[in-house]
Amino acid sequence: GTGTSTVAPASATPVATTGDTYTVKGGDNLYRIAVNHNMNLNQLLKLNPTLTAKSLIRAGDKLKIK
């Protein structure tokens, strides 16, 4: 393998959060992400006030999860 992996330094974006963040992968949807983290869709949406149940999410988006 000649591929090089670039890792952003952890100090680049200091974010103080009480929960975790989830990075969306291709094919994910909000409902599946919620279920995978033992939450329901309403709980996920409450943590991410910018989202609605009809929001389109893309790979690379970051969501707050419990």
Side-chain angles (χ1 to χ4, degrees):
T2 56
T4 59
S5 62
T6 57
V7 178
S11 59
T13 51
V15 181
T17 54
T18 50
D20 286 314
T21 356
Y22 173 79
T23 303
V24 177
K25 298 177 181 58
D28 274 347
N29 62 56
L30 291 172
Y31 177 78
R32 184 183 301 170
I33 293 167
V35 169
N36 285 347
H37 294 93
N38 299 313
M39 301 162 58
N40 64 41
L41 186 56
N42 284 336
Q43 291 172 307
L44 183 65
L45 295 175
K46 271 194 190 132
L47 289 175
N48 298 275
T50 57
L51 294 178
T52 70
K54 299 195 189 321
S55 290
L56 292 177
I57 54 173
R58 292 187 299 272
D61 288 352
K62 289 193 167 41
L63 304 179
K64 282 186 188 164
I65 55 168
K66 285 190 184 178

